[in-house]
């Protein structure tokens, strides 16, 4: 095919492969130092065109970002036609294109076309956007180079948060039914729902005042825009708003801000670099710092929505999806007190998103703050119908109407810090709650995360949503024995998908016990899975 040949030739000349290491399109696309990413972005541009053609010319998306990685890094996330992540079945094609030599690019493209039965003459459209990294503009140009080389139409949206691009792709493929495919359409839809919910509300305990750390990322300009749509309904003070300081400085894993001088009574949140994760935090009355993480947000959403479902007289099955990292107390609270079914899946948003689709209303969150709510098509129809059914009493209809408004506030395509923020604030306002009220639902068990370096992390295999190790032999038995020695003990190990390390998680009744359990399990991993370098140390 002539066009594949030309695109490969263009790649060889203008975007030659500059790395010889083996790369993986993994849990959340690919991320690495920005210096060598040009050819990768070019090739991912090519792939997104093939993917759009495969989807019969529907719009796909390509986001240039490395999320919460340091500013020197960059990366790419590819987006499916309904705004979800690119399907897992296509990740192998991405990985293949990342690793072939320039000479093999043409034949690799051809192989994908053949395997997926793609009609190369189908038109293709790819929307692109980027975060605020210094390398993002150049890398976007490389991606557009790839898109155009295969005859695809590229539509560049400039700076956006990752979830905003997901939203726009979904709008474009649903004939604007999901909303208007613009940044203005996004703010208008979400804030209209927020304002509707909060109109005339006079809470006494809840204060519409929030402090948000934006990690100097792309959400910084976006929150400024959001504020103009919110008017005075929510007073947001921003930190790390991009005016100075490094992107994601001191952010990384748990997103906790070090920039906010936290006084009792302040309600705070922090975002990651590309705006798809959020956690809340505050200081308890006694002065203790408390994190309201993805588990706490998930329980807040699930309890609110399940109350509305009941009040609207609907029989919809609502479930919650977590990973093994969810605190044991949250899982216990959700199943035993809230009586909401919980599913556990392997780490990585795509697994949670997929599983959430099994419920009429599926709430999913990773403890690290990535999550959203999915409403099945049937559920959406039923809710809309109920809200407009004049034969019902007013309270029932009003509850269904509130569900409709909540649906409008939620970005169902992917976890979205802005959308999650608006829903958390709405629920707190409706319930007239402080952070303390929210936090009181359950108390997290103390937990610890450790990293262990091993020769080859692929020798550790897991099952049961990563909660049990099946290899190397003896590892799980050793973990079971250790865990049995601790009250409320729980521990698991899994190979990281983003770093060359093994991760160890442990929780127990006290911090000291959790530390000790993590350390003991870490040692077993080190011994049984061929650890290298320094042995794990017991956390202080
Ligand atoms: C990626 C995932 C995140 C997951 C993390 C685990 C997405 C968008 N992001 O950042 O969900 O928690 O990887 O990293 O899927 P790990 O495998 O290194 O522990
Ligand atoms: Mg992110």
């Amino acid at each position: 095919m002539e066009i594949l040949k030309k695109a490969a030739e263009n790649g060889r000349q203008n975007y030659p492969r500059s790395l010889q290491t083996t790369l993986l399109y993994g849990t959340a696309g690919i991320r690495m130092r920005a210096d060598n990413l040009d050819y990768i972005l070019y090739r991912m541009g090519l792939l997104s065109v093939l993917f759009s053609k495969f989807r019969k010319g529907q719009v796909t998306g390509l986001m240039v970002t490395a999320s919460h990685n340091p500013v020197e890094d960059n990366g790419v996330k590819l987006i499916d036609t309904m705004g979800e992540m690119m399907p897992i079945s296509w990740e192998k094609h991405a990985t293949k294109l990342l690793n072939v030599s320039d000479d093999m690019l043409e034949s690799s493209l051809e192989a994908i076309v053949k395997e997926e039965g793609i009609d190369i003459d189908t038109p293709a459209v790819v929307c692109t956007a980027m975060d605020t990294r210094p390398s993002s503009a150049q890398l976007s140009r490389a991606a557009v180079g790839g898109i155009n080389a295969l005859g695809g139409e590229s539509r560049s949206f400039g700076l956006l948060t990752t979830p905003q691009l997901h939203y726009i792709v979904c709008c474009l493929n649903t004939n604007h039914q999901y909303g208007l495919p613009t940044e203005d359409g996004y703010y208008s839809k979400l804030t209209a729902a927020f304002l509707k919910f909060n109109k005339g509300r006079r809470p006494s305990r809840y204060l519409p005042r929030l402090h948000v750390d934006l990690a100097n990322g792309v959400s910084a300009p976006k929150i400024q825009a959001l504020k103009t749509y919110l008017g005075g309904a929510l007073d947001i003070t921003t930190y790390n708003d991009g005016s100075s300081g490094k992107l994601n400085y001191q952010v990384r894993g748990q997103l906790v801000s070090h920039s906010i001088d936290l006084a009792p009574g302040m309600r705070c949140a922090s975002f990651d670099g590309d705006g798809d994760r959020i956690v809340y935090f505050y200081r308890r009355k006694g002065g203790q710092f408390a994190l309201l993480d993805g588990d706490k947000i998930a329980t807040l959403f699930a309890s609110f929505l399940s109350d509305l479902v009941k009040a609207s007289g609907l029989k919809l099955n609502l479930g919650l999806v977590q990973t093994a990292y969810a605190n044991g107390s949250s899982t216990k609270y959700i199943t035993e007190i809230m009586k909401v079914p919980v599913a556990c899946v392997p780490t990585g948003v795509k697994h949670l998103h997929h599983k959430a689709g099994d419920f009429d209303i599926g709430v999913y969150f990773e403890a690290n703050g990535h999550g959203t709510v999915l409403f099945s098509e049937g559920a959406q129809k039923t809710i809309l119908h109920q809200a407009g059914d004049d034969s019902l009493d007013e309270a029932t209809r009003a509850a269904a109407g509130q569900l409709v408004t909540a649906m409008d506030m939620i970005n169902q395509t992917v976890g979205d810090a802005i959308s999650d923020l608006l829903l958390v604030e709405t629920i707190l306002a409706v319930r007239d709650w402080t952070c303390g009220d929210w936090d009181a639902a359950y108390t997290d068990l103390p937990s610890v995360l450790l990293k262990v370096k091993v020769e080859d992390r692929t020798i550790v295999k897991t099952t049961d949503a990563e909660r049990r190790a099946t290899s190397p032999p003896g590892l799980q038995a050793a973990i079971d024995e250790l865990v049995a020695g601790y009250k409320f003990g729980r521990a698991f190990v899994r190979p990281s998908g983003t770093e060359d390390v093994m991760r160890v998680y442990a929780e127990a009744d006290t911090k000291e016990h959790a530390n000790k359990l993590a350390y003991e399990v870490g040692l077993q991993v080190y011994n049984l899975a061929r650890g290298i370098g320094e042995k794990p140390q017991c956390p202080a």
Side-chain angles (χ1 to χ4, degrees), residues 27-28 31 68 77 85 276 325 347-350 366 368 370 494-499 503:
T27 329
R31 293 177 207 171
H68 58 270
K77 295 178 176 179
M85 293 173 188
D276 62 2
Y325 287 111
T347 305
V349 175
K350 60 193 172 193
E366 287 193 314
N368 65 20
H370 191 131
R494 56 174 281 277
S496 160
T498 63
E499 272 184 86
R503 301 216 190 275

Side-chain angles (χ1 to χ4, degrees), residues 326-361:
N327 196 278
S329 290
S330 75
T331 315
K332 196 165 176 270
Y333 174 77
I334 297 157
T335 42
E336 293 177 11
I337 311 285
M338 285 172 52
K339 310 261 183 245
V340 164
V342 175
C344 187
V345 298
T347 305
V349 175
K350 60 193 172 193
H351 300 296
L352 290 110
H353 192 93
H354 183 74
K355 187 70 190 171
D358 286 357
F359 300 98
D360 294 328
I361 302 178

Side-chain angles (χ1 to χ4, degrees), residues 446-480:
S447 66
V448 186
L449 268 172
L450 273 190
K451 292 181 195 183
V452 181
K453 276 224 157 240
V454 296
E455 244 172 56
D456 172 12
R457 70 192 201 281
T458 63
I459 68 162
V460 179
K461 304 258 186 282
T462 64
T463 181
D464 190 20
E466 304 178 318
R467 289 175 291 191
R468 297 187 68 75
T470 50
S471 145
L475 179 57
Q476 189 55 48
I479 296 175
D480 288 342

Side-chain angles (χ1 to χ4, degrees), residues 112-167:
I112 298 171
V113 168
K114 246 201 203 129
E115 184 180 335
E116 299 293 350
I118 294 167
D119 175 0
I120 199 73
D121 296 326
T122 309
V125 186
V126 183
C127 293
T128 66
M130 61 183 180
D131 71 11
T132 49
R133 288 161 199 273
S135 57
S136 288
Q138 180 190 325
L139 293 173
S140 296
R141 284 193 290 276
V144 169
I147 295 165
N148 297 156
L150 275 187
E153 179 195 338
S154 56
R155 293 191 197 159
S156 169
F157 285 82
L159 290 180
L160 287 181
T161 67
T162 297
Q164 285 177 329
L165 183 62
H166 283 252
Y167 161 89

